[in-house]
């Protein structure tokens, strides 16, 4: 993948039924985005949000099959919620998800 001083800075190895990546370098936002895009393509995993939104989005599935999305704005600026989540409910407030997350705001969403 990438190298530094003729040694691998990022490596990918098959392990069991999956793959493992080792990142032995510090990547900027563009480099991480490029790496994650490649990993998503190789593993055929669909991204949780196709819009560039600069939010941290994590999906968890409960034992009863409910999908929960943890949306974190880890910045000092407001960030727009991806359109995909516009009709979801925020479990923290009981209301429809806010379309803009304030700085350092969190929403836990489900349909």
């Amino acid at each position: 993948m990438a190298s530094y001083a003729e040694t691998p800075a990022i490596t990918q190895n098959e392990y069991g039924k999956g793959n493992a990546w080792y990142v032995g370098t510090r990547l900027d936002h563009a480099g991480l985005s490029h790496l994650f895009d490649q990993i998503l393509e190789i593993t055929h995993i669909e991204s949780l949000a196709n819009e560039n939104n600069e939010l941290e989005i994590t999906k968890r599935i409960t034992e009863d099959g409910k999908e929960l999305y943890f949306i974190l704005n880890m910045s000092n600026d407001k960030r727009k919620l991806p359109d995909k989540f516009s009709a979801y409910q925020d479990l923290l407030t009981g209301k429809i998800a806010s379309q803009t997350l304030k700085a350092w705001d969190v929403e836990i969403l489900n349909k």
Side-chain angles (χ1 to χ4, degrees):
M1 290 186 136
S3 65
Y4 173 75
E6 298 190 32
T7 62
I10 300 173
T11 60
Q12 180 253 335
N13 293 294
E14 292 181 14
Y15 184 81
K17 295 181 182 179
N19 292 283
W21 282 265
Y22 173 76
V23 180
T25 186
R26 190 171 188 179
L27 297 172
D28 62 10
H29 187 321
L32 279 173
S33 292
H34 180 73
L35 174 63
F36 290 147
D37 287 344
Q38 286 184 336
I39 292 171
L40 291 173
E41 184 177 324
I42 290 167
T43 58
H44 308 288
I45 296 173
E46 184 179 326
S47 179
L48 294 177
N50 293 328
E51 305 164 42
N52 183 8
N53 55 55
E54 299 182 355
L55 295 169
E56 183 176 317
I57 302 173
T58 305
K59 177 181 174 183
R60 298 284 185 256
I61 301 175
T62 63
E63 286 184 13
D64 62 352
K66 183 187 290 187
E67 295 179 353
L68 303 177
Y69 295 87
F70 294 78
I71 317 286
L72 289 75
N73 180 1
M74 305 294 286
S75 75
N76 291 320
D77 301 312
K78 291 180 181 178
R79 300 282 186 227
K80 183 184 177 311
L81 184 71
D83 293 336
K84 169 183 179 173
F85 301 107
S86 63
Y88 284 46
Q89 179 184 22
D90 183 354
L91 298 178
L92 298 174
T93 65
K95 300 177 182 177
I96 296 297
S98 173
Q99 297 308 297
T100 303
L101 276 78
K102 296 178 279 187
W104 302 102
D105 203 1
V106 174
E107 290 186 346
I108 302 174
L109 307 179
N110 77 328
K111 283 187 178 181

